[in-house]
Amino acid sequence: MRAQPKASHYINGRFVDDEQGAPLPVIYPATGETIATLHSATPNIVELAIEAARAAQPAWARLKPVERGRILRRAADILRARNAELARIETLDTGKAIQETLVADPASAADALEYFGGAVASYTGDYVDLGGPFAYTRREALGVCVGIGAWNYPIQGAGWKSAPALAMGNAMVFKPSENTPLSALALAEIYTEAGLPDGLFNVVQGYGDVGGALASHEVVAKVSLTGSVPTGKKVLALTGSLMKHATMELGGKSPLIVFDDADLENAIGGAMLGNFYSTGQVCSNGTRVFVQKALHDRFVERLTERTKAIRIGDPLDPETQMGPLINKAQHDKVMSYIGVGKTDGASLHYGGGEPKLQGFENGFFIEPTIFTNVTDQMRIAREEIFGPVMSVLSFNDEDEVIDRANDTEFGLSAGVFTRDLPRAHRVIAELQAGTCWINNYNLSPVEMPFGGFKQSGIGRENSLSALALYSQEKSVYVETGDVASPY
Ligand code: NDP
């Protein structure tokens, strides 16, 4: 199986390479085979990309917003037309089941391009009446922005960052995760085909050091990172010391609360989506599933039945529902957490094994796993595992579960399942989380702001909030009379 792109990087509207850069093998997680080899960016490549962005940005920012938007919307149409091909690249890069990537990944990037392409023309400044004189505000581009992506949603991440940045008149240099370098290159080609002027969306590959070099570059005005909390802290410290804008979309250990009046099948469906989709590698996952005592046993019984039916296997088979983890390191980390859960006294209720699948013996597969009898202080209930491992905890009443749900350093997401709607809103209002769901889980439409409280991050992606965060506000006072000067 090969998925070799034309070159490693995409700068100024074309593919470029510098073979002096450290080799960057692309591994298909289902088989462990190398499907492409790229090169990490050298300092020369980083400079070329930043310079291309810097040179292209001012003319782009001067275009009418509706003209910028038209190009983004054209690119969205091309993404949709190539959905099957792009989904295949995403599956080869991430190992996620093709039945997911066909509906969730390029489609979500296309949604972002379409939404921001349409919204930006209406994203206007204010008029302020000062009783004669007046003021108005302008929303101006920041300049060159850097996007740094995680490996779980590569093309979505590239779309979610580049669409609001470009819509507002910025240029972007995007660094995908070293694990998933392919689909951002495909997006770059599509932007060019849609008519985006050269230099406005550039892709450079590399490890953390390349991300660091981009984030600290003097030309760069803003960095938007999706990644873990430790990486986010490092990059935020760096950008803070250089007074750059920053958006941090980081990890979580989110609570999903199921009251005993909830629709059982929907609550279980939500809990499974929030733990097993993308093989559990989703930042907003509700990995602490709090179930009210009276419903707990029925919930676990039916959850187990439905979990047993999950089809693990060849990610390219449309029948497969769960693929492997991204790489060996992540696989080993998740297996070690399963060991920690057992040692700490939780009951391994289902899964926890490494299925050996014919033809995929070297893949990084782990069964969907359910722990019961989990208590709040156990490590599996406190630390982000980033794999298909659900912890089920039980609770008695509303006040208790709110306290326990909030007892975490993270604050990305939260969910509540109940038929009692006043209670749903009351509980959500008390939860310390940036992105919440009532009677569903993990849906992130582009119209809705997405981001975290507490250690889970700063800033928001999607919605008009993202346009605010990719722009700066200029206030203009306009005098209509004389200057009242005492001198
Ligand atoms: P990492 O934090 O390891 O890496 C994120 C990105 O930052 C990668 O591109 C990485 O490059 C780069 N990077 C690493 N070190 C530095 C540095 N010093 N300076 C600049 N860039 C750097 O996260 P993962 O890729 O492992 O992704 C998983 C994490 O992402 C989880 O914690 C998950 O919760 C979080 N996440 C958050 C989301 C959100 O929206 N809140 C969504 C998706 C994931 P390299 O790949 O080479 O290490």
Side-chain angles (χ1 to χ4, degrees), residues 375-450:
T375 59
D376 297 347
Q377 296 314 316
M378 290 179 182
R379 281 182 60 202
I380 58 166
R382 303 206 71 77
E383 298 172 18
E384 186 184 45
I385 299 173
F386 224 57
V389 182
M390 184 193 303
S391 290
V392 181
L393 305 94
S394 73
F395 72 95
N396 292 303
D397 64 49
E398 189 177 311
D399 288 343
E400 172 207 330
V401 79
I402 290 169
D403 283 348
R404 292 171 61 194
N406 286 336
D407 180 20
T408 167
E409 60 176 341
F410 299 108
L412 186 53
S413 305
V416 174
F417 277 86
T418 177
R419 287 194 174 93
D420 178 347
L421 285 182
R423 172 162 68 188
H425 296 295
R426 193 167 63 230
V427 172
I428 286 288
E430 293 299 319
L431 293 176
Q432 297 161 357
T435 312
C436 297
W437 294 275
I438 293 174
N439 291 332
N440 210 327
Y441 204 83
N442 256 358
L443 302 180
S444 305
V446 65
E447 299 89 340
M448 180 173 119
F450 182 87

